[in-house]
Amino acid sequence: MSTVLVIGASRGIGLELVRQYAEAGARVIATARDEEGLARVRALGAQGLKVDVAQPASVSGLAWQLDGEAIDIALYVAGVMSRASATEPPTQPEFDRVMHTNVLGAMQVIPQVAPLVAAASQGRGGRFVFLSSVMGQIGTVASSDCWLYRVSKAALNMAVASAQPSYTGVTMVAMHPGWVQTDMGGARAPLGVTDSVRAMIATLDALTPADRGRFLQHDGTPYLGW
């Protein structure tokens, strides 16, 4: 039985990952920032851990909560949007909210979780996936809409690629889930949460060590702008 860790599973894509992996027979550990989120993941049969990735002190105790678990697949799903453009600088609270959630949380998680993923390596190694965005690609920028969000995802992509050489037993990738119908993507998004997650899981199942450090679309297609 595989052990899957989903970081940021309160709702949306994270909660759907918990549901699909649990239904497939995996043992799922999932984090949520509040009691309501924990209740949702536990109702799906997952082991719930209370972690708020926007709060550095909360994230710092993740390894202690995991207590030496051997993890086959880890996913960093947590993310928050900021729609402000470059016409105004972000406020310090807004900067902290977005960068702590999208970047610092991931950078705190990597040294705590990657060794546990490596411990579960069998042939191709464990897999560690970070949900990112095509908006974090410098070469595709056409406007400053969602300025801070773009900056945070570009930083996340670099954090994942730069961390990979230190964890050779782990296939570490950034993945774009597509434009998904969540509270972030909105009702006009063309991709349903169920379909996005189903495609991501299939892509994860097909990962090999040759994919280390790459940026992939949810369907496994390499993002050429990376």
Side-chain angles (χ1 to χ4, degrees):
M1 177 189 297
S2 295
T3 298
V4 178
L5 171 65
V6 183
I7 300 167
S10 294
R11 63 188 191 281
I13 291 172
L15 193 62
E16 180 64 15
L17 280 162
V18 172
R19 186 185 71 79
Q20 290 195 27
Y21 271 117
E23 287 184 354
R27 173 174 173 259
V28 182
I29 307 170
T31 77
R33 66 172 178 265
D34 53 34
E35 292 301 326
E36 291 80 4
L38 287 172
R40 287 191 286 270
V41 301
R42 288 168 177 159
L44 295 174
Q47 174 186 343
L49 304 178
K50 190 172 183 180
V51 176
D52 184 349
V53 297
Q55 303 297 326
S58 178
V59 186
S60 66
L62 179 59
W64 174 81
Q65 290 197 69
L66 290 170
D67 193 26
E69 288 276 3
I71 297 166
D72 298 285
I73 302 170
L75 302 104
Y76 187 90
V77 184
V80 64
M81 174 64 87
S82 172
R83 300 189 183 278
S85 75
T87 57
E88 294 287 342
T91 65
Q92 187 70 55
E94 179 76 351
F95 181 87
D96 289 346
R97 182 179 71 93
V98 174
M99 297 300 284
H100 282 182
T101 302
N102 294 355
V103 186
L104 181 58
M107 295 178 80
Q108 284 187 280
V109 161
I110 287 170
Q112 296 184 78
V113 173
L116 306 181
V117 178
S121 298
Q122 295 178 355
R124 61 179 174 172
R127 287 147 283 167
F128 202 164
V129 179
F130 298 79
L131 263 61
S132 187
S133 172
V134 293
M135 295 178 74
Q137 304 313 297
I138 294 171
T140 65
V141 173
S143 77
S144 71
D145 292 343
C146 305
W147 188 33
L148 181 56
Y149 178 77
R150 292 177 187 271
V151 170
S152 72
K153 290 301 186 177
L156 175 62
N157 293 340
M158 181 56 74
V160 173
S162 298
Q164 178 63 82
S166 293
Y167 302 100
T168 55
V170 182
T171 300
M172 193 177 294
V173 301
M175 185 177 292
H176 178 50
W179 184 15
V180 187
Q181 296 164 6
T182 62
D183 54 355
M184 185 182 294
R188 294 187 300 124
L191 190 60
V193 176
T194 300
D195 291 338
S196 171
V197 168
R198 185 180 296 117
M200 284 194 291
I201 289 176
T203 296
L204 276 167
D205 287 344
L207 287 181
T208 71
D211 295 309
R212 289 174 184 157
R214 300 179 74 186
F215 184 16
L216 303 172
Q217 300 278 21
H218 61 287
D219 61 1
T221 306
Y223 187 67
L224 298 180
W226 184 225

